[in-house]
Amino acid sequence: MAKMGSRKHLKRFKAPKSWPISPKENKWTVKPAAGPHAIEDSLSLLVVIRDILGLADNSREAKRIINTGKVLVDGRARKDYKYPVGFMDVVEIPTSEDFYRVLPDLKGRLTLHPISKENSGFKLCKITNKTTLKKGKTQLNLHDGRNVLVEDSFSASDVVSLAVPEQEITDNFKFEEGALVLITGGKHIGEIGKINEININKSSNPNTVVVENDKKENFLTLKDYAFVIGKDKPAISLPGGK
C-alpha cells in the first residue's frame, strides 16, 4: 500500500498549500500526473471532481465520471483521473452546463471559479519565452505547456487570449505600466492591481514590479508573479465580480 501511495497517492498532510483539501478527511489524496502544470501548481482531475466540485462521493464514482468523458478541460475530454488541472484552465461539465476557471484565492489555494458559457471559450496564457524558427515564424512557449506558432510580434511576459480547444490567439495583453494584473505568488497572491512601475535589475537579483491595488495602495512583488489579465478591465470573470 505504501508503495502504491508513493506513486499515485500522497498523504494529505503533505499536500502543497495550494491544494484546497482538508488533511482530516482521508489519509491519502491523488497526485496529479506529470504534465502541463507542476505538481505543486495543479490538482488531479479526481480531486477536482470529488473534493472541490462534490460531484462524486468517493474515488470510484469520480473515476467513472471521468472515464466516460464527462469532464472537459480547455474544451477537450480528459479521461485520466490524474490529469493535472492548473491555473487558468477551464473545466466544463457538459451534462449540467457548468463552467469553471482555475484561479488562486487570497490564501494561495487553487479554486474553481464559476464562469458563464461565453467566458469558457478562451483562456489567458502567459508567454514564458519564445523561439525564432525558420521562415520568419516564432514559437511562443506558454505557461500551461502549450507551444503556439505565430508570425506577429509578441514579447515574453505578455499574455495572450487563446481560444480553446482551437488554440487560436484572439487577443494580446502587453506587460507594461498600466496593465491590470493578477498576482500568482508571494504574500499578495490572489490580489488584483495595476502595474505602476517595472524594475529591471541588471544584477542577478530578480526583476520586480510596483502594483497599485483598488485601495490606491502600492506594493512590491516579483515580476514573475504579475500575470496580465487586461488593460482597463479584466478580460476574464473574477471572484467577487471584479
Side-chain angles (χ1 to χ4, degrees):
M1 178 68 179
K3 186 176 182 181
M4 182 184 69
S6 66
R7 290 180 178 178
K8 297 181 180 180
H9 299 75
L10 182 71
K11 288 187 177 180
R12 283 184 173 240
F13 74 88
K14 291 185 177 181
K17 293 182 179 179
S18 60
W19 295 10
I21 58 176
S22 171
K24 298 180 181 180
E25 293 178 1
N26 292 292
K27 183 177 181 180
W28 296 96
T29 188
V30 178
K31 291 195 299 185
H37 300 282
I39 290 178
E40 62 270 18
D41 297 326
S42 61
L43 302 164
S44 69
L45 198 52
L46 186 143
V47 168
V48 169
I49 296 302
R50 182 190 63 189
D51 300 289
I52 300 179
L53 298 182
L55 300 179
D57 293 328
N58 50 56
S59 60
R60 179 177 296 180
E61 290 181 7
K63 288 177 183 178
R64 185 182 301 116
I65 293 172
I66 295 167
N67 288 339
T68 53
K70 294 181 179 179
V71 184
L72 277 59
V73 180
D74 293 341
R76 297 187 185 279
R78 299 296 180 181
K79 298 183 179 182
D80 180 2
Y81 70 91
K82 301 186 300 298
Y83 184 82
V85 179
F87 177 62
M88 282 294 169
D89 285 354
V90 175
V91 177
E92 176 183 350
I93 313 298
T95 53
S96 59
E97 295 189 344
D98 289 322
F99 307 88
Y100 307 88
R101 191 182 305 280
V102 181
L103 297 171
D105 66 11
L106 295 175
K107 294 183 179 181
R109 299 170 302 190
L110 293 175
T111 62
L112 270 77
H113 170 57
I115 59 176
S116 66
K117 182 177 181 179
E118 291 72 26
N119 210 241
S120 70
F122 70 94
K123 66 183 298 188
L124 300 183
C125 294
K126 187 174 187 177
I127 302 172
T128 55
N129 54 64
K130 60 180 185 175
T131 306
T132 301
L133 306 177
K134 295 179 180 179
K135 298 182 180 180
K137 288 195 173 184
T138 301
Q139 176 178 288
L140 303 181
N141 303 319
L142 307 180
H143 85 274
D144 65 349
R146 298 174 195 264
N147 299 317
V148 180
L149 294 179
V150 297
E151 295 181 352
D152 299 327
S153 176
F154 294 87
S155 300
S157 296
D158 286 355
V159 167
V160 296
S161 179
L162 196 70
V164 290
E166 299 86 356
Q167 295 202 138
E168 296 177 359
I169 294 176
T170 58
D171 209 343
N172 180 31
F173 303 101
K174 294 287 186 181
F175 187 91
E176 60 188 5
E177 292 182 4
L180 191 64
V181 293
L182 168 63
I183 307 304
T184 61
K187 65 180 182 179
H188 293 283
I189 190 169
E191 294 188 34
I192 308 293
K194 284 195 173 185
I195 297 178
N196 267 353
E197 184 180 348
I198 300 173
N199 303 312
I200 305 298
N201 293 313
K202 295 182 179 179
S203 65
S204 59
N205 293 326
N207 298 322
T208 59
V209 294
V210 177
V211 177
E212 180 185 282
N213 62 22
D214 56 4
K215 297 179 181 179
K216 303 300 181 181
E217 300 170 337
N218 288 335
F219 62 85
L220 186 71
T221 190
L222 295 180
K223 177 175 177 284
D224 287 346
Y225 290 163
F227 189 106
V228 181
I229 57 171
K231 182 64 177 177
D232 299 318
K233 62 180 182 179
I236 58 173
S237 167
L238 294 169
K242 295 182 179 179

